[in-house]
Amino acid sequence: MTERRDDLISKAPSVELDLTLGALDPAGAICEAYENVYRDSRAGFLRVAAVGGTALLGALAVVPSGGSQSANDVDILNYALTLEYLQASFYTEAERIRALRGKSRQAAEVVGAVERAHVQALRSALGSAAVARPTFNFRGVTEDQKRFLKTAVAFEDLAVAAYKAQAPRIDAKPILAVAISIHSVEARHAAWMRRLFGIVPAAEAFDDPLSRPEAARIVASTGFITSSGKTERAGSPRFTG
Amino acid sequence: MHRTSSDTRHSRSELLRRAVLAGGALTAGGVVVGGLPRLASSAPSPAQDIRILNLALLLEYVEAAFYAEAREKGALRGELREFAEVVGGHEQEHLAFLKKTLGANARMAPKIDFGKATTDPDAFVEGALALEDTGVAAYNGQATNLTAGALTAAARIVSVEARHAAWIRSIVGKLPAADATDPSMTEAEALAALRKTGFLR
């Protein structure tokens, strides 16, 4: 551990969010028959009961859905939900495939359960306004520990930056309070995954926000989303919690 | 630090009022929702920002001094040493930023005594865990009390504190993040947690 960390600091600046995701190699990846894997993981997706800290998530629903939530807040919550779907599906698939060992496996299990809890809370808060889960193809990155960790670092850093950009734009205080708390949990995840990957957990003194178009561009560049979610009113989701 | 426009402020206070009203029915559905955010009694204002940023400044003073002293004494080894160096640099930057932002409104540096916590590895870890987790909870607890401009700035710091907290937890074999949300502290709770470290004189 100590030797591995010796050049940690010098390595850190080279791992930028864009570079990390941009450096993924979907073309060279094994195109897993993801649907087959995913079909059996619905139970896993629901397994959030053991996660602590979910009480605060209930505050998301303080503003009754369909009633007082502003259109702006609904939009932001659906954006957050999409990012959480991406993360939750990623960790759930990694757990199902069982390619991870030791501390990485433990991290995937713990973080996955938390991301599923975020999904469940956001869906519950949004009610019928919730976007459906997109379909994903992680192109083999969940089958190899190193590629898993690299992708996890990218996802978590992305989530931190995305929540950070949205927090000051949220109208309702209870929603802001929950969002800012999820934001710091995502930052803990980012640090955790970074350390497992062997890079400095906290590279800079200030974390920058990432605008929604920038985040969308990065996510699109991965090719992980194979079909976008529509609102549940507009079409029936393939997988629901 | 830019301020919210008066229109925005008006709509925010209206939303706050509605949220508080909605908060009266928190047990709806028979489920008692615990750990709800405690909302500010007054709407965000530049004056309130100053008070809150001074709380942040106090935390950053203690954190920055803690890691600076640990580095100066040079007793830490391995990843703990690296942690103190990297994190100490960040806290110095946070301190400088807050002092500059607050200008003449910045509070004085507190009087501090770290005892053996900057030389004994176990005591150092205990101190770092307390300071970083308190930092995250204190910043999170004030999010709804800040103006949008101040929140934008604070959000760039709190996630770094969360990274620090996860890092030190990971070094000592604790789960870096076990829960779906991070706890938040009121100003009084944050001050109590800070005093509990025994570092303030």
Side-chain angles (χ1 to χ4, degrees):
Chain A
M1 182 58 67
T2 308
E3 310 89 279
R4 192 169 62 112
R5 313 211 72 79
D6 283 348
D7 59 346
L8 201 74
I9 300 165
S10 58
K11 260 197 282 180
S14 69
V15 183
E16 299 293 335
L17 187 69
D18 288 44
L19 290 179
T20 312
L21 270 164
L24 294 170
D25 179 23
I30 302 160
C31 286
E32 175 63 24
Y34 176 68
E35 298 293 325
N36 291 336
V37 174
Y38 202 82
R39 194 166 296 139
D40 295 328
S41 66
R42 290 187 60 188
F45 219 95
L46 294 173
R47 195 158 44 71
V48 298
V51 178
T54 55
L56 178 62
L57 292 175
L60 281 176
V62 161
V63 182
S65 56
S68 316
Q69 272 172 351
S70 70
N72 174 62
D73 284 357
V74 168
D75 188 47
I76 291 171
L77 289 174
N78 266 322
Y79 171 44
L81 176 58
T82 302
L83 293 173
E84 298 287 357
Y85 277 144
L86 178 70
Q87 295 188 99
S89 299
F90 169 71
Y91 292 113
T92 302
E93 182 178 292
E95 207 178 320
R96 294 287 308 172
I97 288 177
R98 296 175 180 275
L100 308 177
R101 295 288 170 263
K103 289 179 177 175
S104 295
R105 181 176 179 165
Q106 180 198 34
E109 286 172 4
V110 174
V111 174
V114 166
E115 309 298 10
R116 290 191 292 269
H118 293 165
V119 166
Q120 196 176 67
L122 288 163
R123 283 175 56 89
S124 161
L126 283 159
S128 62
V131 291
R133 182 177 302 129
T135 51
F136 298 101
N137 183 339
F138 292 107
R139 300 172 187 272
V141 298
T142 54
E143 296 166 29
D144 172 86
Q145 184 145 310
K146 199 171 174 195
R147 294 177 72 202
F148 163 81
L149 287 173
K150 189 176 184 181
T151 309
V153 167
F155 278 174
E156 298 297 345
D157 278 342
L158 175 73
V160 175
Y163 271 100
K164 194 186 313 297
Q166 298 306 313
R169 304 182 58 244
I170 294 171
D171 294 322
K173 296 279 180 177
I175 293 175
L176 169 58
V178 179
I180 204 74
S181 178
I182 293 177
H183 163 253
S184 63
V185 170
E186 303 291 351
R188 287 175 185 263
H189 293 169
W192 191 356
M193 294 300 173
R194 282 176 157 265
R195 185 167 182 271
L196 288 169
F197 189 57
I199 57 176
V200 71
E204 306 285 344
F206 299 94
D207 276 338
D208 286 328
L210 187 72
S211 76
R212 194 161 163 177
E214 288 172 298
R217 183 183 57 73
I218 291 169
V219 171
S221 76
T222 65
F224 289 156
I225 297 185
T226 53
S227 82
S228 62
K230 294 181 165 59
T231 66
E232 307 218 329
R233 277 180 296 223
S236 60
R238 180 142 191 184
F239 303 106
T240 55
Chain B
M1 189 155 297
H2 57 274
R3 315 217 190 297
T4 51
S5 72
S6 59
D7 280 357
T8 309
R9 203 177 305 145
H10 176 77
S11 71
R12 285 176 75 91
S13 68
E14 170 61 14
L15 279 157
L16 171 63
R17 191 185 64 78
R18 280 159 54 186
V20 169
L21 289 175
L26 289 181
T27 54
V31 180
V32 178
V33 180
L36 284 167
R38 284 149 293 196
L39 302 177
S41 54
S42 59
S45 66
Q48 186 162 277
D49 283 350
I50 289 170
R51 190 173 58 78
I52 293 166
L53 293 181
N54 266 307
L55 169 67
L57 179 60
L58 174 64
L59 285 161
E60 299 290 355
Y61 265 129
V62 177
E63 289 179 333
F66 181 68
Y67 298 116
E69 188 176 297
R71 278 189 288 182
E72 191 186 300
K73 300 219 165 165
L76 302 175
R77 294 288 176 265
E79 195 176 352
L80 275 187
R81 183 192 187 110
E82 183 185 339
F83 174 84
E85 284 170 4
V86 173
V87 174
H90 295 168
E91 309 300 11
Q92 291 289 354
E93 287 192 53
H94 296 168
L95 182 62
F97 170 79
L98 288 169
K99 282 167 81 170
K100 189 177 168 205
T101 301
L102 284 161
N105 293 310
R107 55 156 294 141
M108 303 292 287
K111 288 197 165 48
I112 294 167
D113 180 2
F114 295 116
K116 64 173 184 175
T118 50
T119 50
D120 175 71
D122 290 342
F124 171 81
V125 167
E126 196 186 327
L129 285 170
L131 289 177
E132 299 297 341
D133 278 338
T134 300
V136 176
Y139 275 101
N140 277 348
Q142 295 302 327
T144 57
N145 301 339
L146 291 167
T147 62
L151 174 59
T152 299
R156 297 185 67 215
I157 296 176
V158 65
S159 58
V160 175
E161 302 292 344
R163 288 171 187 268
H164 297 165
W167 189 0
I168 189 67
R169 294 179 78 87
S170 180
I171 290 172
V172 298
K174 289 176 183 289
L175 277 183
D179 293 339
T181 54
D182 267 330
S184 66
M185 288 179 179
T186 62
E187 181 173 6
E189 287 166 345
L191 287 171
L194 192 56
R195 282 193 206 96
K196 204 178 158 203
T197 62
F199 297 157
L200 292 179
R201 293 186 60 192

